[in-house]
Amino acid sequence: MNVIPKLITDNPELLLYIDGKSHTTVLGGIKLTGFDRLKVTLKIVFGGNTIKAFRHNLDLYNSVQCEHLVEKASEALDVAAAELAGIISRLTTALEDYRSERLEAMKPKQAEKKQLTEAERKIALQYLKAPGLLGRTRQAISASGIVGEEVNSLIAYLIYTSRKRNTPLHLMCLGPSGTGKTWLQERVSELIPEEDKLEITMLSMNAFYYFGKDELKNKLLLIEDMDGADNVLYPLRELQSKRRISKTVTLKDSKGNLKTVTLNVEGPVCVSGCTTREQLYEDNANRCILLYTDDSPEQDKRIMDYQRKQSAGLVDQQAERNVREQLKNVQRLLQPVSVKNPFATYLQLPEAIFKPRRTMLLLLLFTETITFYHQYQRELQTDTTTGEQYVETTIEDIEVAFSLLETTLLKKSDELNDACRSFFEKLKAWLRQNDSETFYSKEVRPVFRLSPSSLSRYLYELERMGYIKIARGSRYKGFEYKVQSWDDLENLTNDAHEMMENILAEIRKVNHSSPGVAQSPDGLHKVQKTSKKTAVAQQQ
């Protein structure tokens, strides 16, 4: 009676292959990477005679090494070479199958796309068509269990929505340790369908290149901590900028010949990450909209109140889950429609903005994303030249974009980083309260509960930039500092407000009439309108 060969894999470091009278142990298991080789250390025993065992290590894909193994083992074990060659061949096949199964099991399980019921689709459609969409979305986000951070959470939600577009936005959450960066990203991402996102804790250097060609397309990539993604910052930047990455590698074929293979992974992707160190990841941050978490005492109180209510069972968690599911269904109904902004040529940035080219692109894309989110409230138009269907941006979209990104644009105009600016504004408020223009560092440190190193860093930066100067003192007795600039942030804010109002006033002068919206029962508007030169283009 023939015994069916089997591979016992209970211990991955000690695989046992039984084939007839032979028991072959794979010592140390096999490596799951490197498909061009299958290196093993074997212990072969025949007929249960453990004393007469043959041990050898080799690459099972190397025919010369396999022939040498069969020749030596057949002599040592007194077994026919043909029989042993068959055993080694079947062992190789079994190990290949085992490796494939292990790799398949290790792949992240992509959630299947949910098919909405007719009732769910109808509710989501009504949600997208009803007036005040952004206001209702803002309320829904709060009702989903996100405490405070109303503006930041809405910005993040819209950025995550842009994953469905050909030019998605990217997000970086910034703030000191313990201020809720990861919590904000995690809670907002719970409003995005599972099938559209991929959460990453740590990746190896080449991991991105081994995804399937379209596996990341229009996905939201969530990076819990940028420090854990140091190895993949370059391919991340390429995915953000070029929306595709490729890498050429050298492999051996079955005959041992070298050949080159190009690995391609297509985007676009929406990338969201958290870090405490903006300057360290400046190249990546330049491609992102930056969100600075609220670390105020008021936000601390709101979160602690929520935690106490949650612990006391006073939070309706089922209601929160229902809201999250509803917003996911809303996301599932959004279609990848193009957006055109007829007012784009009127948009300007404050002169103080650093890296204005990328900042302008982020502002334009964010405005288009707001339009994209309102697609069920806009008429679908057709360009007669290209046949492309699109929806148009309105003045209201631009106003909302300016309003939501006001803090971000100000941060990009400020030469101080967020932590230093926050300290400087608190310092000025404290000095005004004490009716003073000067201070000693030893007075300030206990007031703001700063470590000596943090305080020294802030004072050095402020002095270097000319915001404070040393009035008197020495390094032994301590320096007395004097504030040189009291209204710099207010002036920057006023300039930005004035510029925004001027831009909106110019746009309102444009005679751009919006036709009535014709909608079909299934959502997107079917009435097609021939593209024409708008009044904006005619005035230029």
Side-chain angles (χ1 to χ4, degrees):
M1 180 178 176
N2 293 328
V3 179
I4 299 175
K6 63 178 179 179
L7 181 66
I8 301 173
T9 60
D10 295 340
N11 184 351
E13 294 296 316
L14 205 66
L15 305 175
L16 177 61
Y17 178 70
I18 302 175
D19 190 344
K21 294 182 179 180
S22 72
H23 283 215
T24 305
T25 305
V26 183
L27 305 170
I30 60 172
K31 287 188 176 181
L32 300 181
T33 55
F35 281 92
D36 59 333
R37 64 189 71 90
L38 188 55
K39 292 184 176 181
V40 293
T41 299
L42 303 180
K43 175 186 175 183
I44 307 173
V45 175
F46 253 84
N49 187 357
T50 55
I51 297 176
K52 198 176 181 180
F54 183 82
R55 297 173 179 84
H56 190 67
N57 59 47
L58 75 160
D59 183 354
L60 290 174
Y61 286 171
N62 189 310
S63 59
V64 175
Q65 292 181 16
C66 287
E67 289 173 4
H68 182 72
L69 167 69
V70 170
E71 179 185 344
K72 295 293 184 183
S74 62
E75 291 179 6
L77 301 172
D78 195 19
V79 180
E83 181 182 355
L84 191 56
I87 292 171
I88 296 301
S89 177
R90 291 189 290 274
L91 169 63
T92 303
T93 302
L95 290 176
E96 287 176 333
D97 293 342
Y98 166 70
R99 178 163 64 179
S100 298
E101 290 170 5
R102 284 286 306 277
L103 288 172
E104 190 64 31
M106 291 171 63
K107 281 186 177 180
K109 301 300 180 186
Q110 190 67 42
E112 292 184 8
K113 187 173 183 179
K114 178 183 176 181
Q115 297 299 322
L116 299 182
T117 65
E118 192 58 38
E120 289 173 332
R121 178 180 173 80
K122 184 177 180 182
I123 293 172
L125 198 55
Q126 289 174 345
Y127 189 96
L128 286 165
K129 286 183 177 182
L133 177 58
L134 280 184
R136 286 183 291 107
T137 300
R138 189 169 180 167
Q139 293 172 1
I141 291 173
S142 296
S144 71
I146 299 178
V147 182
E149 299 283 12
E150 291 186 355
V151 174
N152 281 346
S153 58
L154 181 58
I155 292 174
Y157 179 78
L158 289 169
I159 291 172
Y160 295 169
T161 300
S162 74
R163 75 193 182 283
K164 292 197 166 192
R165 304 190 65 228
N166 288 329
T167 51
L169 289 157
H170 311 285
L171 178 68
M172 187 174 286
C173 297
L174 299 161
S177 179
T179 55
K181 303 178 297 298
T182 305
W183 173 83
L184 177 64
Q185 175 176 275
E186 180 182 325
R187 296 310 296 266
V188 177
S189 70
E190 289 177 356
L191 311 177
I192 304 300
E194 287 76 13
E195 64 268 21
D196 287 353
K197 61 187 178 184
L198 179 64
E199 297 184 48
I200 297 170
T201 303
M202 185 171 289
L203 282 174
S204 62
M205 185 178 300
N206 295 316
F208 268 119
Y209 298 100
Y210 290 95
F211 280 100
K213 183 177 180 181
D214 296 322
E215 197 173 347
L216 297 180
K217 202 165 190 175
N218 296 116
K219 290 287 192 293
L220 168 61
L221 302 185
L222 298 162
I223 302 173
E224 186 176 316
D225 191 336
M226 295 294 289
D227 294 346
D230 277 343
N231 292 331
V232 294
L233 289 181
Y234 175 72
L236 263 182
R237 286 196 296 270
E238 292 300 290
L239 272 173
Q240 289 173 307
S241 298
K242 297 181 180 178
R243 298 189 287 281
R244 65 185 298 271
I245 55 174
S246 63
K247 182 174 184 175
T248 301
V249 296
T250 305
L251 300 176
K252 286 183 180 179
D253 60 20
S254 58
K255 297 180 180 179
N257 298 320
L258 294 176
K259 62 177 182 178
T260 57
V261 176
T262 301
L263 307 173
N264 293 306
V265 180
E266 298 290 337
V269 297
C270 172
V271 180
S272 177
C274 304
T275 183
T276 59
R277 302 183 289 179
E278 175 187 352
Q279 293 179 332
L280 185 63
Y281 303 109
E282 184 176 3
D283 283 344
N284 290 75
N286 289 336
R287 295 164 170 82
C288 302
I289 288 179
L290 308 181
L291 288 190
Y292 296 86
T293 51
D294 184 357
D295 60 347
S296 66
E298 293 77 18
Q299 175 67 357
D300 292 340
K301 184 177 183 302
R302 285 191 289 267
I303 290 176
M304 290 187 291
D305 286 344
Y306 178 83
Q307 290 170 338
R308 286 190 285 265
K309 289 178 181 178
Q310 194 175 42
S311 180
L314 301 177
V315 174
D316 190 344
Q317 296 186 341
Q318 183 58 48
E320 292 182 352
R321 284 193 289 271
N322 292 340
V323 171
R324 289 197 287 269
E325 283 302 315
Q326 183 181 15
L327 287 176
K328 287 179 188 177
N329 292 340
V330 165
Q331 288 284 321
R332 291 183 175 109
L333 277 194
L334 295 173
Q335 304 297 319
V337 64
S338 297
V339 176
K340 290 189 179 181
N341 182 358
F343 308 106
T345 54
Y346 286 83
L347 300 184
Q348 301 292 331
L349 292 174
E351 293 183 0
I353 288 277
F354 299 109
K355 297 182 175 65
R357 297 180 187 180
R358 280 188 172 155
T359 304
M360 173 58 76
L361 180 61
L362 293 176
L363 175 61
L364 291 171
L365 291 177
F366 189 72
T367 305
E368 291 175 14
T369 300
I370 294 173
T371 306
F372 176 81
Y373 189 53
H374 285 84
Q375 60 182 253
Y376 285 91
Q377 301 185 15
R378 305 291 160 79
E379 185 175 5
L380 189 64
Q381 303 187 51
T382 304
D383 191 310
T384 53
T385 305
T386 63
E388 179 188 33
Q389 293 183 326
Y390 65 94
V391 292
E392 280 193 352
T393 296
T394 65
I395 297 175
E396 290 73 23
D397 295 340
I398 297 173
E399 289 177 333
V400 171
F402 270 126
S403 175
L404 290 176
L405 292 187
E406 179 180 4
T407 301
T408 296
L409 293 176
L410 284 175
K411 299 286 187 186
K412 286 185 175 287
S413 304
D414 196 350
E415 58 186 354
L416 298 177
N417 63 43
D418 187 59
C420 190
R421 168 57 68 183
S422 177
F423 164 74
F424 190 41
E425 293 306 309
K426 291 176 182 177
L427 173 65
K428 289 190 290 186
W430 179 73
L431 288 173
R432 288 190 180 104
Q433 185 179 351
N434 289 277
D435 195 24
S436 175
E437 292 186 354
T438 62
F439 64 94
Y440 285 92
S441 61
K442 61 183 178 182
E443 297 176 304
V444 171
R445 197 177 74 80
V447 173
F448 300 112
R449 300 174 69 182
L450 292 170
S451 66
S453 59
S454 295
L455 180 60
S456 297
R457 187 170 66 252
Y458 294 152
L459 294 178
Y460 169 77
E461 192 69 15
L462 290 171
E463 185 188 359
R464 187 172 69 89
M465 294 290 189
Y467 290 91
I468 62 174
K469 72 172 185 178
I470 296 175
R472 58 184 174 180
S474 68
R475 57 184 300 184
Y476 301 104
K477 295 181 179 180
F479 293 109
E480 183 181 20
Y481 294 93
K482 182 178 182 180
V483 173
Q484 293 287 92
S485 180
W486 290 90
D487 302 322
D488 61 300
L489 185 60
E490 290 82 355
N491 294 335
L492 195 63
T493 304
N494 292 336
D495 290 345
H497 274 303
E498 185 178 352
M499 188 203 68
M500 182 183 72
E501 289 300 325
N502 290 338
I503 291 172
L504 293 175
E506 281 294 316
I507 293 175
R508 291 189 187 101
K509 291 178 184 177
V510 178
N511 183 21
H512 185 79
S513 58
S514 180
V517 175
Q519 297 178 339
S520 67
D522 63 344
L524 285 176
H525 325 309
K526 295 297 183 183
V527 175
Q528 303 297 310
K529 177 186 173 186
T530 301
S531 177
K532 62 181 181 179
K533 291 184 178 180
T534 63
V536 179
Q538 292 172 355
Q539 288 197 6
Q540 293 174 347

